[in-house]
Amino acid sequence: MTRTRIISPTRFPSLKSQRCGSGGDASFMEQLLLHCATAIDSNDAALAHQLLWVLNNIASPDGDSSTQRLTSAFVRALLSRAVSKIPTLFSTFGNTVFQPPADEIHRFSVVELAGFIDLTPWHRFGFIAANEAILTAVEGYAKVHIVDLSLTHCMQIPTLIDAIATKLNKPLLLKLTVVSSASNFPPFINISYEELGSKLVNFATSRNIEMQFTIIPSTYSDGFSSLLQHLRMYPTSYNEALVVNCHMILRYIPDETLTPSSPSSLSLRNVFLNQLRSLNPTMVTLIEEDADLTSDNLVTRLRSAFNYFWIPFDTTDTFMSEQRRLYEAEISWKIENVVAKEGVERVERTETKGRWLERMRDNEFGGVRVREEAVSELKAMLGEHAVGWGMKKDDDDESLVLTWKGHSVVFATVWVPI
């Protein structure tokens, strides 16, 4: 039987300062994580155990530094991968258990979720950019049909309703269509979409807007085929605008890495965009995180994830402890999915802005510049948050980019058929 050798902290010259200091150097942590990932994927149980032992001792989920907490999330993800890949890895360790207990799933009330989203500009940035673009696109229409493909359970819609009531000159019919699927990624809410729709309809009525709310059972796993079929069956009518709002959810549609033998044009992401274009929408908004987490190589993917997810962890230092716990738990779920899962279970397949822009153009969409009114509103919103948040405009591709300490975080783009 292979004997597992426990590694001592003294073998790492900087380990003492890592444990006693503020959480240590991110580069040091990253290198340990990458070595551990390599050991796990090469089935080197002894080395994997040694590195996990070290990482578990220098990175606490309750650490004072964001680097410690970030690293702890990756340790948990690697542990989860190791357990599935090397089942015997922990069999000889007696009571030494590294795997932390699973977090309880938190289900937000609507009010709680709205407050949670307001903690950072992560989602609000896209809300504001998209809403301003939508207001411009639908002006003059008697009916507006918005298909809301979003992670945030329609949290963008109340501000849009309010803006429509305030800025557009005449009452209109607002039709809102959402998808309901058995998705298992956060954030979660504690009410049904039927209840949520009822609340939105009542709010719209209070703002003198007639609203229809439709729920379509459809899922990202097949490229929202049921939704597209529904939209084809009920095409837009005279004087009706069709707006498709895609907010951080298209990354869950399977990409080419799940079917590498198929042509890129046949990937479900491109199929979705192609069919969406055939509907001739008035406008499409696309808001996504700017990172590449699609690689089939674990080490490459882990490196990309570590160099992106430090951002949300770095932004939480000013949060109250409970806020920080919930916020970092959501990011930790993403990290575990990126690192521990493979195949169809690995749903976090974020692509860079450049790749999404290429997809949109390949499917005959053209970019539209976001108006200065949106830029001004975004600047005002960023002023409500911590120093470090910023924004840049890319004139080459008409996009707006949310930044943290100069690093790209989220991009917002607006598209029309060409």
Side-chain angles (χ1 to χ4, degrees):
M1 182 176 71
T2 302
R3 183 178 180 183
T4 301
R5 178 167 52 88
I6 302 297
I7 195 167
S8 167
T10 57
R11 294 192 60 194
F12 290 84
S14 59
L15 192 53
K16 182 178 180 181
S17 63
Q18 297 284 343
R19 297 188 65 178
C20 300
S22 63
D25 176 70
S27 179
F28 174 82
M29 300 288 201
E30 180 186 6
Q31 289 305 309
L32 286 181
L33 290 169
L34 293 173
H35 287 315
C36 187
T38 300
I40 291 170
D41 259 25
S42 60
N43 294 307
D44 189 338
L47 181 58
H49 173 256
Q50 293 168 10
L51 290 166
L52 286 168
W53 189 92
V54 171
L55 285 160
N56 194 64
N57 278 274
I58 63 177
S60 167
D62 302 313
D64 293 332
S65 82
S66 59
T67 300
Q68 275 198 358
R69 300 191 303 274
L70 171 68
T71 303
S72 179
F74 275 92
V75 172
R76 176 174 178 171
L78 286 170
L79 284 164
S80 179
R81 187 179 183 91
V83 168
S84 62
K85 189 170 179 61
I86 315 174
T88 60
L89 184 61
F90 302 112
S91 62
T92 60
F93 301 158
N95 293 324
T96 302
V97 179
F98 291 108
Q99 182 72 31
D103 288 339
E104 294 183 4
I105 295 175
H106 184 83
R107 295 191 175 273
F108 293 92
S109 69
V110 171
V111 173
E112 286 176 333
L113 182 56
F116 178 76
I117 286 172
D118 283 347
L119 288 173
T120 75
W122 205 279
H123 292 291
R124 293 184 70 196
F125 180 83
F127 289 177
I128 293 171
N131 282 353
E132 284 292 333
I134 292 169
L135 286 175
T136 302
V138 305
E139 194 166 3
Y141 286 91
K143 293 176 280 188
V144 176
H145 184 187
I146 297 174
V147 179
D148 189 42
L149 297 176
S150 171
L151 275 182
T152 58
H153 309 291
C154 299
M155 290 298 103
Q156 176 181 340
I157 302 304
T159 54
L160 178 59
I161 291 172
D162 197 56
I164 289 173
T166 302
K167 298 181 180 181
L168 298 187
N169 294 326
K170 61 179 181 180
L172 50 73
L173 170 63
L174 177 61
K175 302 187 332 188
L176 179 65
T177 297
V178 301
V179 296
S180 174
S181 65
S183 59
N184 295 313
F185 37 79
F188 303 99
I189 54 173
N190 65 0
I191 67 170
S192 68
Y193 264 99
E194 287 79 7
E195 294 173 283
L196 183 61
S198 179
K199 290 179 181 293
L200 289 171
V201 169
N202 289 338
F203 177 68
T205 301
S206 74
R207 303 296 282 124
N208 197 33
I209 294 175
E210 181 185 356
M211 181 176 172
Q212 298 174 357
F213 187 83
T214 303
I215 306 168
I216 304 298
S218 193
T219 177
Y220 60 89
S221 62
D222 65 0
F224 297 111
S225 61
S226 298
L227 169 68
L228 293 166
Q229 182 180 4
H230 172 84
L231 294 175
R232 284 192 293 270
M233 290 174 59
Y234 300 96
T236 55
S237 59
Y238 172 74
N239 208 14
E240 178 179 341
L242 172 62
V243 175
V244 183
N245 184 58
C246 305
H247 189 101
M248 299 191 190
I249 202 168
L250 297 193
R251 65 170 175 260
Y252 295 108
I253 297 176
D255 66 342
E256 293 85 348
T257 58
L258 277 175
T259 53
S261 59
S262 300
S264 173
S265 60
L266 295 181
S267 80
L268 276 178
R269 291 188 187 184
N270 283 337
V271 169
F272 170 81
L273 293 174
N274 181 264
Q275 294 188 16
L276 183 61
R277 172 61 182 84
S278 71
L279 297 171
N280 197 33
T282 307
M283 190 185 70
V284 175
T285 62
L286 175 61
I287 293 89
E288 263 297 348
E289 296 172 347
D290 193 5
D292 183 5
L293 303 178
T294 61
S295 176
D296 283 335
N297 181 276
L298 174 62
V299 172
T300 300
R301 200 165 68 238
L302 189 149
R303 181 183 288 110
S304 294
F306 191 86
N307 285 281
Y308 181 74
F309 287 125
W310 73 269
I311 296 173
F313 275 82
D314 197 49
T315 67
T316 63
D317 284 339
T318 59
F319 291 4
M320 292 186 293
S321 59
E322 181 63 12
Q323 291 175 328
R324 190 173 74 184
R325 185 186 70 80
L326 291 175
Y327 196 83
E328 293 183 352
E330 179 178 341
I331 309 304
S332 296
W333 184 95
K334 294 183 181 181
I335 291 170
E336 182 158 358
N337 188 263
V338 168
V339 173
K341 306 298 183 182
E342 292 295 352
V344 295
E345 290 186 326
R346 179 159 60 84
V347 296
E348 284 287 338
R349 294 172 180 265
T350 309
E351 293 184 310
T352 62
K353 181 184 74 167
R355 184 68 182 105
W356 277 115
L357 268 54
E358 181 183 352
R359 288 188 188 277
M360 295 300 289
R361 290 165 180 157
D362 286 348
N363 287 282
E364 299 183 358
F365 286 99
V368 176
R369 184 183 299 275
V370 179
R371 294 197 309 172
E372 285 303 315
E373 288 87 342
V375 174
S376 298
E377 191 173 345
L378 286 167
K379 288 179 179 177
M381 180 271 293
L382 292 174
E384 301 170 6
H385 292 279
V387 175
W389 289 108
M391 177 181 61
K392 59 185 179 183
K393 293 190 291 182
D394 195 329
D395 293 331
D396 292 336
D397 57 34
E398 314 291 357
S399 65
L400 295 176
V401 181
L402 175 69
T403 62
W404 172 254
K405 297 180 179 178
H407 297 269
S408 295
V409 180
V410 170
F411 66 89
T413 53
V414 179
W415 303 85
V416 295
I418 56 174

